[in-house]
Amino acid sequence: TLPSTASSMYPTGAPTSSIPTVYPTRSPSQTPSIAPTSSLAYRSTGINRLSSDSSRDALLEVPLSSTFKVGENAIILQPAHSSWVPPPSAASAWIGTMLSGFDDAPLGNYQYQTTFSVPCANLEVNFSADDLVLSVVVSNGITSTTITTFNNPHLSTFTATGLLGGAATTMTFTIQNGMGPSGLLVQFGALTGCPLA
């Protein structure tokens, strides 16, 4: 079950039919090589670096953190923790609020947020986190809640459905850290449901 402090993070009245399916997790040795969606590869975590600070992700902000200012850019973790699942391709990397995936992060909840637009209705999202993901909220009225295991060494997948083609979509990952290092890995996958040309 979710901690009581997390219950306020979920919009009320979200239709249950819009909650995406979360597929079984895989062990690191079974992690597939996932080709990123070309138009969204640059939105995956840890790829774009700020020109003013190459240790930070240019496109993922941290709106909730005990150590960051609101809207500050996430740090690309160098190196990632050795027990975390490797990125499924060179088009993603682990991010967090510390300099290294081996540094202990303060206890509490963290949010990572990115905004983008897609031409199609459905988007595959591959992700992993340490300690666990409390929720993934998509701005177009679609909410997915996913619980993963502690120090998650797995890659999870869900499909955000019903996206409005061409409209701005904001995706917010809320993760919880109970102890030790903390991080998030996201790589966008296939787009489906595109209009026929």
Side-chain angles (χ1 to χ4, degrees):
T1 60
L2 291 173
S4 58
T5 57
S7 61
S8 63
M9 291 184 283
Y10 306 109
T12 56
T16 55
S17 61
S18 66
I19 298 176
T21 301
V22 176
Y23 298 96
T25 56
R26 305 169 182 94
S27 67
S29 62
Q30 297 172 316
T31 300
S33 175
I34 296 173
T37 299
S38 58
S39 62
L40 286 176
Y42 67 95
R43 290 286 174 182
S44 298
T45 55
I47 296 306
N48 282 284
R49 297 174 183 269
L50 280 177
S51 58
S52 59
D53 183 351
S54 64
S55 70
R56 292 186 181 263
D57 190 305
L59 300 175
L60 278 113
E61 295 183 347
V62 184
L64 173 66
S65 165
S66 61
T67 57
F68 271 43
K69 295 177 184 176
V70 172
E72 198 168 356
N73 292 74
I75 295 173
I76 301 168
L77 299 175
Q78 297 293 329
H81 199 283
S82 57
S83 69
W84 295 345
V85 63
S89 81
S92 60
W94 283 86
I95 61 169
T97 59
M98 309 302 285
L99 294 177
S100 162
F102 289 90
D103 294 337
D104 289 348
L107 308 185
N109 294 350
Y110 296 80
Q111 286 182 339
Y112 299 89
Q113 187 174 84
T114 187
T115 301
F116 53 89
S117 62
V118 292
C120 309
N122 308 313
L123 172 64
E124 179 186 84
V125 182
N126 306 284
F127 68 96
S128 186
D130 183 347
D131 289 351
L132 57 88
V133 173
L134 294 178
S135 69
V136 182
V137 177
V138 183
S139 66
N140 289 346
I142 303 164
T143 302
S144 165
T145 58
T146 306
I147 305 302
T148 59
T149 58
F150 171 77
N151 198 30
N152 181 19
H154 308 286
L155 190 68
S156 298
T157 301
F158 75 91
T159 300
T161 59
L163 302 179
L164 302 176
T169 296
T170 299
M171 190 172 293
T172 305
F173 291 80
T174 301
I175 70 172
Q176 184 179 71
N177 187 42
M179 62 179 292
S182 178
L184 175 69
L185 172 71
V186 178
Q187 182 170 307
F188 292 116
L191 280 167
T192 56
C194 297
L196 296 175

